Amino acid sequence: MTHCAIMARIVVMPRWDPRAEDRLRDAALELFLEQGYDSVTVAQITERAGLTRRTFSRYFTDKRDVLFAGSERLPPALAEAVISADDALSPFEALMTALADTGELLAGSVTRSAERRAVIKASPELQERERTKFAAVTDALARALQQRGSAEAAATLLARIGAAVFQTAFECWADQPDAGFSAFVRDAAAELATSLTTVTVPAAPGQA
Amino acid sequence: MTHCAIMARIVVMPRWDPRAEDRLRDAALELFLEQGYDSVTVAQITERAGLTRRTFSRYFTDKRDVLFAGSERLPPALAEAVISADDALSPFEALMTALADTGELLAGSVTRSAERRAVIKASPELQERERTKFAAVTDALARALQQRGSAEAAATLLARIGAAVFQTAFECWADQPDAGFSAFVRDAAAELATSLTTVTVPAAPGQA
DNA sequence: GTCTATAGGGCGATAGAC
DNA sequence: GTCTATCGCCCTATAGAC
């Protein structure tokens, strides 16, 4: 049976798929850092990973996608957190709680996030894709808020506000990873509340 | 001196075929409506416009771009409105005023907006580009708010809130173009204020 | 796995407006 | 004559069809 163990080890490494996706992602990130995103070809990535172009397409829809694997877990996680938040909380409170809790979990699991962010920051094309991924967050939040009972329009607006808060908090947290993520969510929410409370109610035209 | 006035008018217009860009846009929109965005090739567009594929590249960076011409005017217009808002207004008030005023102007000038929106709605690729264009709005708002004296972090958050309000208002306005755009901005702002006022101030851990 | 269509862009030539 | 919008043919890499 010894050769079975050997077989198993061989299967893990070579071109036969097991770690194919991971290897592609690693190879891609390395190359993007070395040469810049634009000048890297898919062929280079697959070559470094010891795979073929065709295999790349099996795992990723396009070149951009290789940097965003795993990001599809964030929207459902946030939605779940919103839905399962205490019923006594207002929609906005439920939203903020969900952001703080979920971000806390997720923030730690981002692999190589610093390098990844550097690559994205240098490429407009990747920023575009990042916005798309983030739009899924907004959509998921909107659906979750509706499920909690918010009307569609209100849910959409609140979801966008939530996305804004999350993004802002995430950026702050990226600069100071030691502070808890949820603290930054609270900061952003507080900041927002302050900005709004200084508002005089917009008067209708003609009204004094 | 009459011919001087005529000369001046001619010089203002491009010499060759003044309408090359317009024709390309029109041809593109028509074809997108007929066949769907994906199945239209750039060659088809240029053919219908009586131009060549190469000329297309002169006016638009890529196929998506043909639907977003003119959108580059919105960010500076909003920024200008924010900056020139009454100094007595709070940042948030200035922001909302700017959104209401500028949107009012711009909303009317969108050509073929219904058809354009239909095409975009049907294509994820175009939605992605739309988000990018809209990101420029957020950036411009953030810079303008900083110029008014907001700190960077606060300006960024507020700008995102502004973008959320603008987008929400725009969608509502698209459904009911007869109502003024600014009314929808006020509605969204009011909705937001209501959502926030039901919030119990987030307490720091341990605080009663 | 292989092959093709097509996007995207570089360069030089051309031809119409001044 | 200059200027410049347009064009034709080049190339490569991507994405999708077979």
Side-chain angles (χ1 to χ4, degrees):
Chain A
M1 290 305 196
T2 305
H3 74 282
C4 285
I6 292 169
M7 285 292 288
R9 294 195 56 195
I10 290 175
V11 168
V12 170
M13 257 310 278
R15 18 178 240 212
W16 314 92
D17 295 351
R19 296 249 180 189
E21 187 175 343
D22 285 338
R23 277 187 297 156
L24 285 170
R25 267 187 296 167
D26 289 346
L29 185 55
E30 285 169 21
L31 285 163
F32 293 160
L33 287 167
E34 289 169 20
Q35 309 176 13
Y37 173 80
D38 286 332
S39 69
V40 174
T41 69
V42 174
Q44 276 182 291
I45 298 170
T46 54
E47 187 184 353
R48 182 169 295 199
L51 297 163
T52 66
R53 283 184 54 84
R54 188 72 180 80
T55 309
F56 187 91
S57 301
R58 289 177 58 82
Y59 290 102
F60 310 104
T61 61
D62 54 42
K63 199 172 99 180
R64 306 170 178 189
D65 203 42
V66 73
L67 268 176
F68 294 93
S71 65
E72 69 283 353
R73 278 176 306 172
L74 182 55
L78 285 168
E80 179 53 34
V82 167
I83 292 165
S84 63
D86 190 335
D87 282 345
L89 296 177
S90 73
F92 182 78
E93 288 173 312
L95 183 59
M96 291 301 122
T97 305
L99 296 183
D101 295 351
T102 310
E104 194 78 61
L105 294 176
L106 212 102
S109 72
V110 182
T111 49
R112 309 226 228 173
S113 61
E115 289 142 315
R116 193 176 153 279
R117 287 205 68 77
V119 172
I120 293 171
K121 193 172 183 177
S123 161
E125 200 174 344
L126 289 173
Q127 288 166 43
E128 193 164 69
R129 178 55 56 91
E130 189 172 45
R131 280 180 219 112
T132 296
K133 294 294 185 178
F134 206 74
V137 166
T138 308
D139 290 346
L141 289 176
R143 276 193 301 272
L145 287 166
Q146 280 189 64
Q147 204 164 326
R148 270 184 76 92
S150 292
E152 186 181 346
T156 302
L157 177 59
L158 261 188
R160 286 178 177 147
I161 302 301
V165 167
F166 187 82
Q167 215 169 344
T168 302
F170 190 82
E171 284 161 9
C172 293
W173 174 84
D175 287 338
Q176 308 173 30
D178 297 330
F181 181 84
S182 58
F184 292 113
V185 171
R186 271 197 302 275
D187 287 350
E191 172 76 42
L192 181 54
T194 304
S195 295
L196 279 169
T197 48
T198 41
V199 171
T200 51
V201 180
Q207 197 173 343
Chain B
M1 287 311 197
T2 304
H3 75 282
C4 285
I6 294 168
M7 287 291 287
R9 293 192 57 194
I10 292 174
V11 169
V12 169
M13 288 301 205
R15 345 192 158 191
W16 225 273
D17 197 340
R19 313 210 181 255
E21 187 175 343
D22 284 338
R23 275 188 297 155
L24 285 170
R25 267 187 299 173
D26 289 346
L29 185 54
E30 284 170 22
L31 285 164
F32 293 160
L33 287 167
E34 288 168 21
Q35 309 176 13
Y37 173 81
D38 285 332
S39 69
V40 174
T41 69
V42 174
Q44 277 182 290
I45 299 169
T46 55
E47 188 185 352
R48 182 169 296 200
L51 297 164
T52 66
R53 207 174 59 75
R54 202 61 196 78
T55 305
F56 186 91
S57 301
R58 192 169 298 287
Y59 289 101
F60 311 104
T61 60
D62 53 43
K63 197 173 102 180
R64 305 170 178 189
D65 204 39
V66 74
L67 268 177
F68 294 93
S71 67
E72 70 281 352
R73 279 177 307 172
L74 182 54
L78 285 169
E80 179 54 33
V82 167
I83 292 165
S84 64
D86 190 336
D87 283 346
L89 297 176
S90 74
F92 183 79
E93 287 173 311
L95 183 59
M96 290 302 121
T97 304
L99 296 183
D101 295 350
T102 310
E104 194 78 59
L105 294 176
L106 212 102
S109 73
V110 183
T111 50
R112 309 227 226 174
S113 61
E115 290 143 315
R116 193 176 151 279
R117 286 205 70 75
V119 172
I120 293 172
K121 193 171 185 178
S123 161
E125 200 174 345
L126 289 173
Q127 288 166 44
E128 193 164 69
R129 178 56 57 90
E130 189 173 45
R131 279 180 219 111
T132 296
K133 294 294 184 177
F134 206 73
V137 166
T138 307
D139 290 346
L141 289 176
R143 277 193 301 272
L145 287 166
Q146 280 189 64
Q147 204 165 325
R148 271 185 77 92
S150 292
E152 185 181 344
T156 302
L157 177 59
L158 261 187
R160 285 177 178 148
I161 302 303
V165 168
F166 188 82
Q167 216 169 343
T168 303
F170 189 82
E171 284 161 8
C172 292
W173 175 84
D175 287 340
Q176 308 172 31
D178 297 330
F181 181 82
S182 58
F184 292 113
V185 171
R186 272 197 301 274
D187 287 350
E191 171 77 43
L192 180 54
T194 305
S195 296
L196 279 170
T197 48
T198 41
V199 171
T200 51
V201 180
Q207 195 174 344

